Each structure stands twice: as C-alpha cells, then as structure tokens.
Amino acid sequence: MHPEQIELTIGWLYPTLMSTYGDRGNVICLRKRCEWRGYTVKVLPLDQNATAVDFQSVDMIVGGGAQDRQQEIVMRDLRGTKAETLREKIDNGTPGVFTCGAPQLLGHYYEPALGQRIEGLGLLDFISVHPGTNARRCIGNLVVEVTAKRLAQELAAMIGSPAYLIGFENHGGRTKLGQVEALGKVVQGLGNNGEDGTEGAFYQNAIATYSHGPLLPKNPFVADWLIQTALRQKYQSAISLSPLNDTLAQQAREAMFQRLHVKTPAIAQN
C-alpha cells in the first residue's frame, strides 16, 4: 500500500477543555509522524459540537488532562450516543492515549477535593479519588516500565528491549485499579496512587496514564505503536512503518535516565 493512499483521522477529545500541561503535544506528535511518512492526516475535535457520527469516524483517540471544573463540563456533554460510540470504539480496539483527567473519565468515577462525585463511563475498571485540598499533589518526573503483557511484548519487539516510558506527573487524584491491567510499574515517581507501584492502565488498545510530558514526543515508539495499530485496525492488514530519525529524542531519553539515576536494560548495554 502506497503512503499516499493512507488516511488517518485523529479524534481529539475536548481540546479546549482537556489539554493541560502540554498534552496537545501528543496530537502534534502523532500528526507529524504520520505526515513525515506521507500519510494524509485529519485532526477532528470531539467536543460539544461533535456528533456521534464524528466519534465513529476516528481511527485514533487522544484525550488530555483537565481541571475538575472542566471535567464536569465534559461529562455533562459526553452522554448518550456520544458516550456509547466512544465506549464501542475503545471496546473494539481503536487505539488511544488518555492522560490524567481523560482516563479518570473512562473509569467508574472521580471524586474531586471539592464538589460532587463525577461519574465516568465505567469502561475501565478503576476509581479515582482526590484525598483533599490539603493533600500533597503527585508532581515530578515519572519513569515507568511497561508491564501490560501484550503491549510490553509488542513494544519490545519494536525497539529491541523492554519499554520504559518517561513523563511528568502532576495530579491530585489517586487511582485504584480493579480488574483492569496496569500500564506499567513505577520506577521513578508516584504513578496511580503513590502506594501500590502501579501506573496507568491498559485496555484493548487504549493507554491510560498520569504521564504528561507530553508522553508521545518523549516516547516516540509509543506513538508509532498507536499509528501501526490504527493502520491495522482500519485496513485489516499489517502495514510497516518507515523508520524516522529519532536521534534527538533518544539522546533526550538517555539524558533523563542518567539524570534520574535510572538504569534501563538498553542504557546498561551502552
């Protein structure tokens, strides 16, 4: 299949309400890595003006962080056929990355420090609770070893070593997982709740994480996994991605690992 024949649509959840801490960088990263390979890319805002048909039309989904007030506004809009379509898309394997506030909306509920409980879609089996206005926020650099079984295997096959993610967390809520698989194991930072060593969640092809950064430019192999998965889902065949020059990103990753005194298998071999 020639690159010019490939078209992908990125659905961006409520971009004006949910894009704190640079999370729009995930959209930019996906778009540019597709364009550099010659693909046609469309970014479609999935906001108050979007219809369920719009939600149905996307090949990848990106959701970012939000303040508690903005999350309430989003959940008042994300109901009915929109919510059902989003649920079906994720259930059926549409790939996506959901950061901070976005995954809280996919869980059962989020209890903010002030105000009432915000009910989520209940798609991912977890809850999030803010322990109170005087509680310390979870802030700082975050390093995570990907442990979600299938994702870990596929990423390792792409990069030739176990996958470690770099990000930056900044959240008040604490997330407790139910039966859903954790995205990974915290190596540096606090992750879901600062207690059980888990970070994020992984369901079908949806990645939920507290890692801002934004996540994908710091971990370009995850962006490529999302693109490759979207292509496989859309065209029902495996399409190999042409390699890109990620030298600067890799150097930045190695510098951050060294700064945080984290030895990954790939670094240890150097």
Side-chain angles (χ1 to χ4, degrees):
M1 194 168 188
H2 296 294
E4 60 269 20
Q5 296 176 293
I6 295 175
E7 299 180 359
L8 288 174
T9 299
I10 301 169
W12 189 359
L13 285 174
Y14 300 89
T16 61
L17 293 171
M18 303 186 70
S19 189
T20 56
Y21 311 130
D23 290 334
R24 68 178 59 242
N26 288 335
V27 176
I28 296 170
C29 180
L30 287 171
R31 181 173 196 160
K32 295 306 295 182
R33 294 184 77 82
C34 287
E35 290 177 342
W36 287 334
R37 293 179 166 110
Y39 307 160
T40 299
V41 186
K42 177 182 177 183
V43 176
L44 181 63
L46 300 177
D47 55 15
Q48 294 97 325
N49 296 318
T51 66
V53 174
D54 293 326
F55 275 71
Q56 182 62 45
S57 69
V58 303
D59 304 304
M60 287 183 281
I61 305 169
V62 177
Q67 302 299 317
D68 293 350
R69 172 61 177 158
Q70 280 69 34
Q71 286 190 223
E72 291 180 15
I73 296 172
V74 168
M75 285 311 297
R76 282 203 298 270
D77 183 72
L78 191 55
R79 296 175 182 272
T81 54
K82 283 186 183 180
E84 286 305 313
T85 304
L86 179 60
R87 182 180 288 110
E88 289 173 6
K89 294 287 288 185
I90 295 175
D91 269 341
N92 291 330
T94 298
V97 58
F98 304 89
T99 307
C100 198
Q104 290 173 354
L105 301 180
L106 300 181
H108 294 298
Y109 61 81
Y110 169 57
E111 290 184 354
L114 299 172
Q116 297 182 342
R117 173 183 292 186
I118 302 171
E119 298 293 338
L121 297 179
L123 184 58
L124 276 62
D125 187 15
F126 60 69
I127 62 170
S128 300
V129 176
H130 195 299
T133 54
N134 294 325
R136 185 178 178 184
R137 290 184 65 81
C138 301
I139 302 176
N141 291 303
L142 182 64
V143 177
V144 177
E145 179 185 359
V146 177
T147 57
K149 188 174 181 181
R150 178 170 57 83
L151 181 63
Q153 291 173 346
E154 293 182 4
L155 291 177
M158 290 177 67
I159 62 177
S161 64
Y164 285 73
L165 308 180
I166 296 175
F168 187 88
E169 60 183 329
N170 186 353
H171 55 103
R174 272 63 164 174
T175 294
K176 295 282 190 180
L177 302 181
Q179 296 302 311
V180 69
E181 191 175 19
L183 171 63
K185 177 176 66 177
V186 174
V187 177
Q188 174 84 26
L190 297 167
N192 282 336
N193 49 56
E195 297 175 356
D196 63 13
T198 65
E199 157 56 17
F202 182 68
Y203 173 72
Q204 300 292 48
N205 291 315
I207 295 171
T209 180
Y210 272 120
S211 180
H212 298 280
L215 175 72
L216 299 184
K218 289 186 173 180
N219 307 279
F221 52 91
V222 179
D224 283 354
W225 179 86
L226 290 165
I227 294 168
Q228 199 154 44
T229 303
L231 293 174
R232 188 174 64 243
Q233 290 286 113
K234 180 169 186 175
Y235 295 103
Q236 295 297 300
S237 64
I239 298 175
S240 297
L241 301 184
S242 56
L244 299 175
N245 185 349
D246 287 325
T247 300
L248 285 176
Q250 186 57 33
Q251 289 174 344
R253 286 172 52 80
E254 292 176 3
M256 184 55 75
F257 284 136
Q258 291 174 6
R259 176 181 172 185
L260 298 176
H261 306 291
V262 172
K263 288 189 176 297
T264 69
I267 296 294
Q269 291 171 7
N270 294 334

